[in-house]
Amino acid sequence: MDDQLRLRTGDSALHSWFILFIRFVALVCLVGGVYYWLRLIGLYPGLLWRFDLMPWQWQTICVSLAIALPIVATGLWIRASWGAVLWVITAVAQALIYTVFARFFEYFPALAAVNIAFLLIYIAFRIGLFLQGKRALATPVR
């Protein structure tokens, strides 16, 4: 039954756009991971340009995201379910870090808005694919 559903919905335009979206998010996560690695090795032009000069909060977040984001990018690129789960966790964490916990980190609402927008687009795609699959199961096979 799963194979029949995949045959009916696997080649749809919505599915193709979803894959392109996931691959784009994977590339964004990879760039984000490189950004945090650049901060860790000291190639960041700012006050917190070296790891030993960062407060412990920044050290924790930079190390965590420098490790997590490339892993997330890999999981999203290969479309593994764990990639999406880790991406949701890191996107929500970044949104909280740069808005709610801004007094410990920095206030960067644009990054938080991008993460929330990506999450909302992802949810819309998943709902659309679910409804498309439901319709495909409802139609008889001829």
Side-chain angles (χ1 to χ4, degrees):
M1 185 168 193
D2 189 42
D3 292 334
Q4 290 176 350
L5 178 62
R6 189 170 288 128
L7 287 174
R8 292 182 192 172
T9 62
D11 295 329
S12 71
L14 182 64
H15 190 261
S16 298
W17 280 105
F18 177 66
I19 291 172
L20 285 173
F21 171 73
I22 288 297
R23 296 268 167 97
F24 175 73
V25 173
L27 291 174
V28 169
C29 287
L30 187 61
V31 169
V34 169
Y35 165 76
Y36 284 105
W37 275 107
L38 290 175
R39 287 189 85 153
L40 287 178
I41 62 174
L43 296 176
Y44 177 73
L47 294 175
L48 305 174
W49 65 279
R50 274 190 1 214
F51 185 75
D52 60 334
L53 297 177
M54 294 179 187
W56 68 269
Q57 297 97 333
W58 268 112
Q59 289 175 347
T60 304
I61 290 303
C62 281
V63 169
S64 300
L65 291 175
I67 293 171
L69 285 174
I71 294 171
V72 168
T74 303
L76 288 175
W77 190 267
I78 64 173
R79 294 185 336 201
S81 58
W82 55 266
V85 172
L86 289 177
W87 171 60
V88 168
I89 291 169
T90 57
V92 169
Q94 278 188 319
L96 290 174
I97 287 165
Y98 291 115
T99 55
V100 176
F101 300 111
R103 79 180 168 150
F104 298 113
F105 299 102
E106 69 179 296
Y107 186 64
F108 194 17
L111 183 63
V114 167
N115 279 316
I116 298 301
F118 281 171
L119 286 172
L120 292 175
I121 293 170
Y122 177 80
I123 290 168
F125 268 121
R126 294 305 291 180
I127 290 171
L129 289 170
F130 173 75
L131 293 175
Q132 184 180 26
K134 216 170 169 189
R135 274 188 239 120
L137 281 178
T139 59
V141 177
R142 295 178 195 225

